[in-house]
Amino acid sequence: MTDCIFCKIAGGEFNTPFIVETEDYVAFRDINPKADTHVLVVPKKHYDSLNELDDEIILGKLLGGVKRVAAELGLKSYKTVINTGKDAGQEVFHLHIHVLSGNIKGV
Ligand code: 5GP
Ligand code: ZN
């Protein structure tokens, strides 16, 4: 998707530092953190939300990405969140998993 901010970030358009990168996903810090550590795990392929996801393998990979972020940043305790749909608070319509740790304010 040409007009999607997370497609652009995942494609390296802004030289965003990635905490983890694989052929399937990237992980980078949220621009407006709601916790001491707030990272987003984002598939390189565009899906509007979990509802549009047609590949269950990628879900396992994304959760593996959450674990890798935790290991990389030394997080022992953290929360993972997926917002699906506007009413649930989804603002960016490119599937992503929030990883939050320390003084979590909620997403
Ligand atoms: P959602 O509400 O869709 O579940 O979460 C979207 C998240 O993306 C928000 O926490 C917001 O702060 C973050 N975000 C929005 N635009 C950008 C951006 O351009 N760069 C980064 N790093 N995070 C963003
Ligand atoms: Zn996208």
Side-chain angles (χ1 to χ4, degrees):
M1 262 208 181
T2 49
D3 214 24
C4 169
I5 188 76
F6 282 5
C7 278
K8 288 179 180 167
I9 291 173
E13 248 183 74
F14 306 121
N15 287 321
T16 307
F18 296 141
I19 294 159
V20 179
E21 178 176 17
T22 72
E23 61 178 332
D24 297 299
Y25 62 82
V26 294
F28 53 87
R29 291 185 191 275
D30 196 292
I31 202 169
N32 180 20
K34 283 88 177 178
D36 292 344
T37 301
H38 186 172
V39 173
L40 304 170
V41 179
V42 177
K44 288 185 175 177
K45 186 170 174 194
H46 181 96
Y47 302 97
D48 280 358
S49 79
L50 193 58
N51 282 342
E52 283 72 33
L53 186 69
D54 56 3
D55 172 6
E56 293 184 358
I57 302 292
I58 191 71
L59 261 185
K61 290 181 175 178
L62 293 173
L63 277 180
V66 170
K67 265 193 78 171
R68 285 184 61 176
V69 166
E72 191 65 34
L73 300 179
L75 308 178
K76 289 196 175 58
S77 180
Y78 55 89
K79 180 178 286 195
T80 55
V81 174
I82 302 176
N83 294 320
T84 303
K86 202 151 54 81
D87 290 349
Q90 187 177 2
E91 289 171 3
V92 176
F93 283 81
H94 177 130
L95 174 65
H96 52 280
I97 304 179
H98 296 260
V99 183
L100 301 131
S101 182
N103 295 305
I104 298 167
K105 296 173 189 78
V107 288

